[in-house]
Amino acid sequence: MSSVLRTEAAAAHPPLCTDLVPADRVSGRLREALAERAEIDDMSSAPRSLSTAQITALRAMLGRILPAAGDYGMDLALRLDRMMDEQDGNGWRYEALPTDPEAYKAGLDTLDAIARASNGRRFADLSGEEQDGLLDAIQTTRLVAPAAAAQFDAEQMALWFEEVRSDAVRHYVAHPAIMARIGYSGFANGGHAGEGFAGFREIGIDRRESWEPQPVGPSPAREAAR
């Protein structure tokens, strides 16, 4: 992934999910939270949980998983680093893995160890084709670093890589511009509670409320979750 966020799409103000639904179906508190998610990330911000080397490796890996994230001003590596610092993960983990912060640190250190052992360079310095080859091997438990350098074995690396992909996609689709692009309106359930809570009446497959938006456009060609 480029060291500079691709912010052309973000600067062009793509429609957000909150732009496409009636205002009274989104509470003020939720609107503020979604607006915060839509802010362009500052890649110069220091990581909170990871080291500089670790977040560099994570950025390179996420650039192969969801290359389109930067088009919306998202630095997924920073968002995942913040998730670990705030202990705001998905609430579960594989028994074979430690807590998310420790798993990310161990996984990223092992990833760089694998890259150095097989290619003589850290993961971020490999070509895209070389990075893809290593990630494919990790995904299928066909490759792990030498025992002296590895913190995770092949099985742990495969499980951790699955977790990274899950976390990355979860944060990507939570962006209001992505919600708008896929036509997601599940957030628009009205005010805080009581009479302000509107809910949904049309809940069948392929049935939509009259106010629900259609997707704003097709997936960009460079979008591909590994």
Side-chain angles (χ1 to χ4, degrees), residues 67-196:
D71 295 344
Y72 295 90
M74 281 185 274
D75 182 351
L76 287 176
L78 274 181
R79 295 191 179 208
L80 296 186
D81 173 77
R82 184 170 61 219
M83 174 194 77
M84 288 177 281
D85 178 67
E86 297 174 354
Q87 300 185 40
D88 187 27
N90 57 17
W92 73 281
R93 62 182 173 86
Y94 285 108
E95 184 178 8
L97 298 179
T99 62
D100 281 346
E102 295 308 312
Y104 268 80
K105 293 173 184 177
L108 291 166
D109 287 346
T110 303
L111 179 65
D112 265 344
I114 292 171
R116 293 184 189 280
S118 58
N119 296 83
R121 290 162 291 159
R122 62 180 189 165
F123 182 79
D125 293 333
L126 303 181
S127 68
E129 183 177 356
E130 290 170 329
Q131 291 175 345
D132 287 345
L134 288 186
L135 294 178
D136 286 341
I138 289 170
Q139 184 175 359
T140 55
T141 68
R142 290 186 286 109
L143 182 67
V144 74
Q151 297 186 45
F152 276 170
D153 60 24
E155 179 183 359
Q156 288 173 308
M157 281 299 287
L159 293 175
W160 171 71
F161 186 37
E162 180 182 326
E163 283 289 278
V164 174
R165 301 196 308 274
S166 172
D167 289 338
V169 171
R170 180 163 57 90
H171 281 259
Y172 181 71
V173 299
H175 191 286
I178 305 304
M179 289 186 185
R181 192 169 58 68
I182 64 177
Y184 176 71
S185 55
F187 65 94
N189 57 10
H192 295 291
E195 293 182 0

Side-chain angles (χ1 to χ4, degrees), residues 18 26 43-44 56 77 82 92 161 209 221-222:
T18 46
V26 185
M43 286 188 67
S44 65
T56 297
R82 184 170 61 219
W92 73 281
F161 186 37
E209 305 277 355
R222 55 190 260 107

